Amino acid sequence: MPLFRQQDASGLVLPVETRTTAIDGDYVFMIDASTNIPYRITKANLLAGLSSGGSGGSNVSLNYVSDGDTNGLFYYLGSSKKTTAWVNPSGGGVIISASSTESGVLSSLTDRASSEWFSNINANNWVQFQLVSCKLQCSKYSIKTRANNVDYYPRNWQLQGSNDGTTWDVIDSQVNNTALNSVSQWLTLSVTSTTAYSYFRILQNGNDSSGTGYLCLGEVELYGTYSPQ
């Protein structure tokens, strides 16, 4: 049965039926104010435009709710600002590098799965996250322990920020933090930062729980104010 229709002031014929939900492929009808010509745009593209503030872009607050939530930066980038199905942003919106890798792959640090990566045993190992087309003024960060084998938990580390990958500011420093004591365990910490950075680094600047230099991690997430570049 065809829907009842009505005309608006511009002469555009519109359906009377309304719904309270829409899928990404649904269309939103709009009118060009300068030409009075109607056009249509998908819900997904409309939301993408709103989240980026149009052509100029705008800041977005990415606020922590719970460990492993879908509110952090890496989820935001992996879901194209929450307009598409999520994919691992590693190698796309985020470039991950490290001082060394003894086991695992760096992309596992943003894969939203139970996994593990760890460095070699040397001192002062680090893992770095380069944001390709944005900056973040960090308010919280989460780290997750490795999924396999007990021990080698982080105890001494810094969260650092940079805008050139060379000069680093200390955003947070932890000394003998004993909160992490089991596999696949999250720890989320609040920080105060007045600067937006395009590089973030976790530097292990002391021994782990086994008294060695291994930096062992299962996942990392960042929160705060996102700004496009």
Side-chain angles (χ1 to χ4, degrees):
M1 177 183 296
L3 297 173
F4 292 103
R5 295 176 180 272
Q6 62 184 6
Q7 285 189 331
D8 69 1
S10 70
L12 179 65
V13 178
L14 300 172
V16 174
E17 179 185 288
T18 60
R19 288 184 290 155
T20 59
T21 59
I23 62 174
D24 286 347
D26 284 350
Y27 288 105
V28 177
F29 283 89
M30 308 183 78
I31 296 176
D32 188 316
S34 61
T35 64
N36 207 37
I37 296 175
Y39 64 96
R40 65 182 187 176
I41 183 171
T42 65
K43 173 199 169 187
N45 286 337
L46 175 64
L47 292 177
L50 290 174
S51 66
S52 64
S55 59
S58 61
N59 294 348
V60 177
S61 295
L62 303 176
N63 298 319
Y64 168 89
V65 173
S66 61
D67 293 335
D69 62 21
T70 59
N71 299 309
L73 175 67
F74 298 147
Y75 187 90
Y76 190 68
L77 296 176
S79 61
S80 298
K81 304 175 184 178
K82 293 193 174 182
T83 62
T84 65
W86 182 87
V87 296
N88 193 334
S90 175
V94 183
I95 298 173
I96 309 175
S97 58
S99 54
S100 64
T101 294
E102 182 156 318
S103 181
V105 293
L106 288 168
S107 60
S108 69
L109 296 178
T110 54
D111 68 359
R112 300 185 62 80
S114 293
S115 53
E116 71 172 0
W117 165 88
F118 59 90
S119 69
N120 64 24
I121 200 171
N122 296 335
N124 299 315
N125 277 296
W126 52 262
V127 60
Q128 172 184 293
F129 302 86
Q130 179 185 353
L131 310 181
V132 175
S133 59
C134 67
K135 291 186 177 183
L136 184 78
Q137 184 178 333
C138 189
S139 61
K140 290 180 184 287
Y141 70 103
S142 299
I143 61 174
K144 188 180 183 182
T145 58
R146 62 195 298 204
N148 301 311
N149 301 320
V150 298
D151 225 337
Y152 301 102
Y153 303 121
R155 290 289 182 261
N156 304 278
W157 71 89
Q158 291 180 347
L159 175 67
Q160 302 177 330
S162 174
N163 279 310
D164 59 11
T166 301
T167 302
W168 295 91
D169 299 327
V170 177
I171 302 172
D172 184 52
S173 183
Q174 298 294 316
V175 178
N176 195 30
N177 185 319
T178 59
L180 296 171
N181 293 291
S182 60
V183 296
S184 297
Q185 179 186 352
W186 285 99
L187 175 64
T188 299
L189 297 167
S190 297
V191 300
T192 300
S193 175
T194 59
T195 303
Y197 296 104
S198 55
Y199 292 80
F200 289 88
R201 185 169 77 169
I202 295 175
L203 169 69
Q204 181 164 267
N205 59 344
N207 288 338
D208 59 28
S209 62
S210 295
T212 68
Y214 287 117
L215 174 58
C216 300
L217 294 169
E219 194 82 11
V220 177
E221 184 58 283
L222 304 172
Y223 300 85
T225 302
Y226 161 97
S227 57
Q229 287 184 298

